[in-house]
Amino acid sequence: MPIYEYVCNDCETRYERLVMSASQKIECPKCSSGSHTLQLSVFSAGKSSNGSASTSASPASGGCACTPSTCGCN
């Protein structure tokens, strides 16, 4: 059940919706218009106490161990 971000084509309100199925009708919460554009979602990594991006993935757990200067995805 992904969360999608939309912008209303009529009133330009930005909103998110949890989509349960492809046939679900999506309406703007402000004007109830069904005319909208799906937006690309932007996500961010959490920051550690030293200001660098934190990650929970590690090579031992099968995750990526990439850093700005090296890549551990071999």
Side-chain angles (χ1 to χ4, degrees):
M1 294 182 288
I3 296 176
Y4 290 102
E5 295 180 23
Y6 299 93
V7 63
C8 179
N9 293 342
D10 294 332
C11 71
E12 299 182 6
T13 298
R14 292 182 176 273
Y15 56 96
E16 298 176 345
R17 287 291 176 264
L18 179 65
V19 179
M20 306 296 255
S21 72
S23 62
Q24 181 177 339
K25 185 176 179 182
I26 307 296
E27 293 182 344
C28 173
K30 185 175 181 181
C31 70
S32 300
S33 171
S35 177
H36 56 262
T37 302
L38 183 63
Q39 300 295 292
L40 294 176
S41 296
V42 178
F43 64 92
S44 65
K47 297 281 185 177
S48 66
S49 59
N50 66 4
S52 64
S54 64
T55 177
S56 59
S58 69
S61 66
C64 183
C66 295
T67 67
S69 60
T70 64
C71 183
C73 295
N74 300 333

Coordinates of all heavy atoms in Angstrom, one line a residue:
M1 N 0.8 -1.2 0.0 CA 0.0 0.0 0.0 C 0.9 1.2 0.0 O 1.2 1.8 1.0 CB -0.9 0.0 1.2 CG -1.9 -1.1 1.2 SD -3.0 -1.0 2.6 CE -1.9 -1.5 3.9
P2 N 1.3 1.7 -1.2 CA 2.1 2.9 -1.2 C 1.4 4.2 -1.0 O 0.2 4.3 -1.2 CB 2.7 2.8 -2.6 CG 1.6 2.1 -3.4 CD 1.0 1.1 -2.5
I3 N 2.1 5.2 -0.5 CA 1.6 6.5 -0.4 C 2.1 7.3 -1.6 O 3.3 7.3 -1.9 CB 2.1 7.2 0.9 CG1 1.6 6.5 2.1 CG2 1.7 8.7 0.9 CD1 2.1 7.0 3.4
Y4 N 1.1 7.9 -2.3 CA 1.5 8.7 -3.5 C 1.2 10.2 -3.2 O 0.4 10.6 -2.4 CB 0.6 8.3 -4.7 CG 0.9 7.0 -5.2 CD1 0.1 5.9 -4.9 CD2 2.0 6.8 -6.0 CE1 0.4 4.6 -5.4 CE2 2.3 5.5 -6.6 CZ 1.5 4.4 -6.3 OH 1.8 3.2 -6.8
E5 N 2.0 11.0 -3.8 CA 1.9 12.5 -3.7 C 1.3 13.0 -5.0 O 1.6 12.6 -6.1 CB 3.3 13.1 -3.5 CG 3.9 12.7 -2.2 CD 5.2 13.4 -2.0 OE1 5.5 14.4 -2.6 OE2 6.0 12.8 -1.2
Y6 N 0.3 13.9 -4.8 CA -0.4 14.5 -6.0 C -0.4 16.0 -5.9 O -0.3 16.6 -4.8 CB -1.9 14.0 -6.0 CG -2.0 12.5 -6.1 CD1 -2.2 11.7 -5.0 CD2 -2.1 11.9 -7.4 CE1 -2.4 10.4 -5.1 CE2 -2.3 10.6 -7.5 CZ -2.4 9.8 -6.3 OH -2.6 8.4 -6.5
V7 N -0.7 16.7 -7.0 CA -1.0 18.1 -7.0 C -2.3 18.2 -7.9 O -2.4 17.6 -8.9 CB 0.2 19.0 -7.6 CG1 0.5 18.6 -9.0 CG2 -0.1 20.4 -7.4
C8 N -3.2 19.0 -7.3 CA -4.5 19.2 -8.0 C -4.3 20.1 -9.2 O -3.7 21.1 -9.1 CB -5.5 19.8 -7.0 SG -7.1 20.1 -7.7
N9 N -4.8 19.7 -10.3 CA -4.7 20.4 -11.6 C -5.6 21.7 -11.5 O -5.4 22.6 -12.3 CB -5.0 19.6 -12.8 CG -4.0 18.5 -13.0 OD1 -2.9 18.5 -12.5 ND2 -4.4 17.5 -13.8
D10 N -6.6 21.7 -10.7 CA -7.6 22.8 -10.6 C -7.2 23.9 -9.6 O -7.1 25.1 -9.9 CB -9.0 22.3 -10.3 CG -9.5 21.4 -11.4 OD1 -9.1 21.6 -12.6 OD2 -10.4 20.5 -11.1
C11 N -6.9 23.5 -8.3 CA -6.6 24.5 -7.3 C -5.1 24.4 -6.9 O -4.7 25.2 -6.0 CB -7.5 24.3 -6.1 SG -7.2 22.8 -5.1
E12 N -4.3 23.6 -7.4 CA -2.9 23.4 -7.2 C -2.5 23.0 -5.7 O -1.4 23.2 -5.3 CB -2.1 24.7 -7.6 CG -2.2 25.0 -9.0 CD -1.5 26.3 -9.4 OE1 -0.7 26.8 -8.6 OE2 -1.6 26.6 -10.6
T13 N -3.4 22.4 -5.0 CA -3.2 21.9 -3.7 C -2.3 20.7 -3.8 O -2.6 19.8 -4.6 CB -4.5 21.6 -3.0 OG1 -5.3 22.8 -2.8 CG2 -4.3 20.9 -1.6
R14 N -1.3 20.5 -2.9 CA -0.5 19.3 -2.9 C -1.0 18.4 -1.7 O -1.3 18.9 -0.7 CB 0.9 19.7 -2.6 CG 1.6 20.4 -3.8 CD 3.0 20.7 -3.5 NE 3.6 21.3 -4.7 CZ 4.2 20.6 -5.7 NH1 4.2 19.3 -5.7 NH2 4.7 21.3 -6.7
Y15 N -1.1 17.1 -2.0 CA -1.6 16.2 -1.0 C -1.1 14.8 -1.2 O -0.6 14.5 -2.3 CB -3.2 16.2 -1.0 CG -3.8 15.9 -2.3 CD1 -4.3 14.6 -2.6 CD2 -4.0 16.9 -3.2 CE1 -4.9 14.3 -3.8 CE2 -4.6 16.6 -4.4 CZ -5.1 15.3 -4.7 OH -5.6 15.0 -5.9
E16 N -1.2 14.0 -0.2 CA -0.8 12.6 -0.3 C -2.0 11.7 -0.1 O -2.9 12.0 0.7 CB 0.3 12.3 0.8 CG 1.5 13.1 0.7 CD 2.4 12.8 1.9 OE1 2.0 12.3 2.9 OE2 3.6 13.2 1.8
R17 N -1.9 10.5 -0.6 CA -3.0 9.5 -0.5 C -2.4 8.1 -0.3 O -1.4 7.8 -1.1 CB -4.0 9.5 -1.6 CG -4.9 10.7 -1.7 CD -5.9 10.6 -0.5 NE -6.7 11.8 -0.5 CZ -6.5 12.8 0.3 NH1 -5.5 12.9 1.1 NH2 -7.3 13.8 0.3
L18 N -2.9 7.3 0.6 CA -2.5 5.9 0.7 C -3.4 5.2 -0.3 O -4.6 5.3 -0.2 CB -2.8 5.4 2.1 CG -2.5 4.0 2.4 CD1 -1.1 3.7 2.3 CD2 -3.0 3.6 3.8
V19 N -2.8 4.5 -1.3 CA -3.6 3.9 -2.4 C -3.7 2.4 -2.1 O -2.7 1.7 -2.1 CB -2.9 4.2 -3.7 CG1 -3.7 3.5 -4.8 CG2 -2.8 5.7 -4.0
M20 N -4.9 2.0 -1.9 CA -5.2 0.6 -1.6 C -5.3 -0.3 -2.8 O -5.1 -1.5 -2.8 CB -6.5 0.5 -0.7 CG -6.5 1.3 0.5 SD -5.3 0.9 1.7 CE -6.3 0.1 2.9
S21 N -5.8 0.3 -3.9 CA -5.9 -0.4 -5.2 C -5.9 0.5 -6.4 O -6.1 1.7 -6.2 CB -7.3 -1.2 -5.2 OG -8.3 -0.3 -5.4
A22 N -5.6 0.0 -7.5 CA -5.4 0.8 -8.7 C -6.8 1.4 -9.1 O -6.8 2.5 -9.8 CB -4.9 0.0 -9.9
S23 N -7.9 0.9 -8.7 CA -9.2 1.4 -9.1 C -9.7 2.5 -8.1 O -10.8 3.0 -8.3 CB -10.2 0.3 -9.2 OG -10.4 -0.4 -7.9
Q24 N -9.0 2.7 -7.0 CA -9.4 3.7 -6.0 C -9.5 5.1 -6.6 O -8.5 5.6 -7.3 CB -8.4 3.7 -4.9 CG -8.7 4.7 -3.8 CD -7.7 4.6 -2.6 OE1 -7.0 3.6 -2.5 NE2 -7.6 5.7 -1.8
K25 N -10.6 5.8 -6.4 CA -10.7 7.2 -6.9 C -10.0 8.2 -6.0 O -10.2 8.2 -4.8 CB -12.2 7.5 -7.0 CG -12.5 8.9 -7.6 CD -14.0 9.1 -7.7 CE -14.2 10.5 -8.4 NZ -15.6 10.8 -8.5
I26 N -9.2 9.0 -6.6 CA -8.4 10.0 -5.8 C -9.0 11.4 -6.0 O -9.2 11.8 -7.2 CB -6.9 10.0 -6.2 CG1 -6.3 8.6 -6.2 CG2 -6.1 11.0 -5.4 CD1 -6.3 8.0 -4.8
E27 N -9.4 12.1 -5.0 CA -9.9 13.4 -5.1 C -9.1 14.4 -4.2 O -8.6 14.1 -3.2 CB -11.4 13.5 -4.6 CG -12.3 12.7 -5.5 CD -13.7 12.8 -5.0 OE1 -14.0 13.2 -3.8 OE2 -14.6 12.5 -5.8
C28 N -9.1 15.6 -4.7 CA -8.4 16.7 -4.0 C -9.2 17.0 -2.6 O -10.4 17.1 -2.6 CB -8.4 18.0 -4.8 SG -7.8 19.5 -3.9
P29 N -8.5 17.1 -1.5 CA -9.1 17.3 -0.2 C -9.7 18.8 -0.1 O -10.6 19.0 0.7 CB -8.0 17.1 0.8 CG -6.8 17.4 0.1 CD -7.0 16.9 -1.4
K30 N -9.2 19.7 -1.0 CA -9.7 21.1 -0.9 C -10.9 21.3 -1.8 O -11.9 21.9 -1.4 CB -8.6 22.0 -1.3 CG -8.9 23.5 -1.1 CD -7.7 24.4 -1.4 CE -8.0 25.8 -1.2 NZ -6.8 26.7 -1.5
C31 N -10.8 20.9 -3.1 CA -11.9 21.2 -4.0 C -12.6 20.0 -4.6 O -13.5 20.1 -5.4 CB -11.3 22.0 -5.2 SG -10.3 21.1 -6.3
S32 N -12.2 18.8 -4.1 CA -12.8 17.5 -4.5 C -12.7 17.2 -6.0 O -13.4 16.3 -6.5 CB -14.3 17.5 -4.2 OG -14.5 17.6 -2.8
S33 N -11.8 17.9 -6.7 CA -11.5 17.6 -8.1 C -10.8 16.2 -8.2 O -10.0 15.8 -7.4 CB -10.6 18.7 -8.7 OG -10.2 18.3 -10.0
G34 N -11.1 15.5 -9.3 CA -10.5 14.2 -9.6 C -9.3 14.4 -10.6 O -8.7 13.5 -11.0
S35 N -9.1 15.7 -11.0 CA -8.0 16.0 -11.9 C -6.7 16.3 -11.2 O -6.7 17.4 -10.5 CB -8.5 17.2 -12.8 OG -7.4 17.6 -13.7
H36 N -5.8 15.5 -11.3 CA -4.5 15.7 -10.5 C -3.3 15.1 -11.3 O -3.5 14.4 -12.3 CB -4.6 15.0 -9.2 CG -4.9 13.5 -9.3 ND1 -6.2 13.0 -9.1 CD2 -4.2 12.4 -9.6 CE1 -6.2 11.7 -9.3 NE2 -5.0 11.3 -9.6
T37 N -2.1 15.5 -10.8 CA -0.9 15.0 -11.4 C -0.1 14.3 -10.3 O 0.1 14.8 -9.3 CB -0.1 16.2 -12.0 OG1 -0.9 16.9 -13.0 CG2 1.2 15.7 -12.6
L38 N 0.3 13.1 -10.6 CA 1.2 12.3 -9.7 C 2.6 13.0 -9.7 O 3.2 13.3 -10.7 CB 1.3 10.9 -10.2 CG 2.0 9.9 -9.3 CD1 1.4 9.8 -7.9 CD2 2.1 8.5 -10.0
Q39 N 3.1 13.2 -8.5 CA 4.4 13.8 -8.3 C 5.4 12.8 -7.9 O 5.1 11.7 -7.4 CB 4.3 14.8 -7.1 CG 3.3 16.0 -7.3 CD 3.7 16.8 -8.5 OE1 4.7 17.5 -8.4 NE2 2.9 16.8 -9.6
L40 N 6.6 13.1 -8.2 CA 7.8 12.2 -7.8 C 8.0 12.5 -6.4 O 8.2 13.7 -5.9 CB 9.0 12.6 -8.6 CG 8.9 12.2 -10.1 CD1 10.2 12.7 -10.8 CD2 8.7 10.7 -10.3
S41 N 8.1 11.5 -5.6 CA 8.3 11.6 -4.1 C 9.8 11.9 -3.9 O 10.7 11.3 -4.5 CB 7.9 10.4 -3.4 OG 6.5 10.2 -3.5
V42 N 10.1 12.6 -2.9 CA 11.4 12.9 -2.4 C 11.5 12.4 -1.0 O 10.7 12.6 -0.2 CB 11.7 14.4 -2.5 CG1 13.1 14.7 -2.0 CG2 11.5 15.0 -3.9
F43 N 12.6 11.7 -0.8 CA 12.8 11.2 0.6 C 14.2 11.7 1.1 O 15.0 12.1 0.3 CB 12.8 9.6 0.6 CG 13.9 9.0 -0.2 CD1 15.0 8.6 0.4 CD2 13.7 8.7 -1.5 CE1 16.0 8.0 -0.3 CE2 14.7 8.1 -2.3 CZ 15.9 7.8 -1.7
S44 N 14.4 11.6 2.4 CA 15.7 12.0 2.9 C 16.1 11.0 3.9 O 15.4 10.3 4.5 CB 15.5 13.4 3.6 OG 14.7 13.3 4.7
A45 N 17.5 10.9 4.0 CA 18.0 10.0 5.0 C 18.1 10.8 6.3 O 18.3 12.0 6.3 CB 19.4 9.6 4.6
G46 N 18.1 10.1 7.4 CA 18.2 10.7 8.7 C 19.6 11.2 8.9 O 20.5 10.7 8.3
K47 N 19.8 12.2 9.8 CA 21.1 12.7 10.1 C 21.6 12.2 11.4 O 20.8 12.1 12.4 CB 21.1 14.2 10.2 CG 20.7 14.9 8.9 CD 21.9 14.9 8.0 CE 21.6 15.7 6.7 NZ 22.7 15.9 5.8
S48 N 22.8 11.8 11.5 CA 23.4 11.3 12.8 C 23.8 12.6 13.6 O 23.7 13.7 13.1 CB 24.6 10.4 12.5 OG 25.7 11.2 11.9
S49 N 24.3 12.3 14.8 CA 24.7 13.5 15.7 C 25.8 14.3 15.1 O 26.0 15.4 15.5 CB 25.0 13.0 17.1 OG 26.1 12.0 17.0
N50 N 26.7 13.7 14.2 CA 27.8 14.4 13.7 C 27.4 15.1 12.4 O 28.3 15.7 11.7 CB 29.0 13.5 13.5 CG 28.8 12.5 12.4 OD1 27.8 12.4 11.8 ND2 29.8 11.6 12.3
G51 N 26.2 15.1 12.0 CA 25.7 15.8 10.8 C 25.8 15.0 9.5 O 25.3 15.5 8.5
S52 N 26.3 13.8 9.5 CA 26.4 13.0 8.3 C 25.2 12.1 8.2 O 24.5 11.9 9.1 CB 27.6 12.1 8.3 OG 27.6 11.2 9.3
A53 N 24.8 11.7 6.9 CA 23.7 10.9 6.7 C 23.9 9.6 7.4 O 24.9 9.0 7.3 CB 23.4 10.7 5.2
S54 N 22.9 9.1 8.0 CA 23.0 7.8 8.7 C 22.3 6.7 7.8 O 21.4 7.0 7.1 CB 22.3 7.8 10.1 OG 20.9 8.1 9.9
T55 N 22.7 5.5 8.0 CA 22.1 4.4 7.3 C 22.1 3.2 8.2 O 23.0 3.0 9.0 CB 22.9 4.1 6.0 OG1 22.3 2.9 5.4 CG2 24.4 3.8 6.2
S56 N 21.1 2.3 8.1 CA 21.1 1.1 8.9 C 21.6 -0.1 8.1 O 21.7 -1.1 8.6 CB 19.6 0.9 9.3 OG 18.8 0.8 8.2
A57 N 21.9 0.1 6.8 CA 22.4 -1.0 6.0 C 23.8 -1.2 6.3 O 24.6 -0.3 6.5 CB 22.2 -0.7 4.5
S58 N 24.2 -2.5 6.2 CA 25.7 -2.8 6.4 C 26.0 -4.0 5.5 O 25.1 -4.8 5.2 CB 26.0 -3.1 7.9 OG 25.3 -4.3 8.2
P59 N 27.2 -4.2 5.1 CA 27.6 -5.4 4.3 C 27.2 -6.7 5.0 O 26.8 -7.6 4.3 CB 29.1 -5.2 4.1 CG 29.4 -3.8 4.4 CD 28.4 -3.4 5.4
A60 N 27.3 -6.8 6.3 CA 27.0 -8.0 7.0 C 25.5 -8.4 6.9 O 25.1 -9.5 6.8 CB 27.4 -7.9 8.4
S61 N 24.7 -7.4 6.8 CA 23.2 -7.6 6.7 C 22.7 -7.7 5.2 O 21.6 -7.8 5.0 CB 22.4 -6.5 7.4 OG 22.6 -5.3 6.7
G62 N 23.7 -7.6 4.3 CA 23.3 -7.7 2.9 C 23.0 -6.3 2.3 O 22.6 -6.3 1.1
G63 N 23.1 -5.3 3.1 CA 22.8 -3.9 2.6 C 24.0 -3.3 1.9 O 25.1 -3.8 1.8
C64 N 23.8 -2.2 1.3 CA 24.8 -1.5 0.6 C 25.7 -0.7 1.6 O 25.1 -0.1 2.5 CB 24.1 -0.5 -0.4 SG 25.3 0.4 -1.4
A65 N 26.9 -0.7 1.4 CA 27.9 0.0 2.3 C 28.6 1.1 1.5 O 29.7 1.4 1.7 CB 28.9 -1.0 2.8
C66 N 27.8 1.8 0.6 CA 28.4 2.9 -0.2 C 28.7 4.1 0.7 O 27.9 4.4 1.6 CB 27.5 3.2 -1.3 SG 27.3 1.9 -2.5
T67 N 29.8 4.8 0.3 CA 30.1 6.1 0.9 C 30.3 7.0 -0.3 O 30.4 6.6 -1.4 CB 31.4 6.0 1.8 OG1 32.5 5.7 0.9 CG2 31.3 5.0 2.9
P68 N 30.5 8.3 0.0 CA 30.8 9.2 -1.2 C 32.0 8.9 -2.0 O 32.1 9.2 -3.1 CB 30.9 10.6 -0.5 CG 30.1 10.5 0.8 CD 30.3 9.1 1.2
S69 N 33.0 8.2 -1.4 CA 34.2 7.9 -2.1 C 34.4 6.4 -2.5 O 35.2 6.1 -3.3 CB 35.5 8.3 -1.2 OG 35.4 7.6 0.0
T70 N 33.6 5.5 -1.9 CA 33.7 4.1 -2.3 C 32.3 3.5 -2.4 O 31.3 4.0 -1.9 CB 34.4 3.3 -1.2 OG1 33.7 3.4 0.0 CG2 35.8 3.8 -1.0
C71 N 32.2 2.4 -3.1 CA 31.0 1.6 -3.2 C 31.2 0.2 -2.8 O 32.1 -0.5 -3.2 CB 30.5 1.6 -4.7 SG 28.9 0.8 -4.8
G72 N 30.4 -0.3 -1.8 CA 30.5 -1.6 -1.3 C 29.4 -2.5 -1.9 O 29.1 -3.6 -1.3
C73 N 28.9 -2.2 -3.1 CA 27.8 -3.0 -3.7 C 28.3 -4.0 -4.7 O 27.7 -4.4 -5.6 CB 26.8 -2.1 -4.4 SG 25.9 -1.0 -3.3
N74 N 29.5 -4.5 -4.5 CA 30.1 -5.4 -5.5 C 29.6 -6.8 -5.3 O 29.5 -7.4 -4.3 CB 31.7 -5.4 -5.4 CG 32.2 -4.0 -5.7 OD1 31.5 -3.2 -6.4 ND2 33.3 -3.6 -5.2

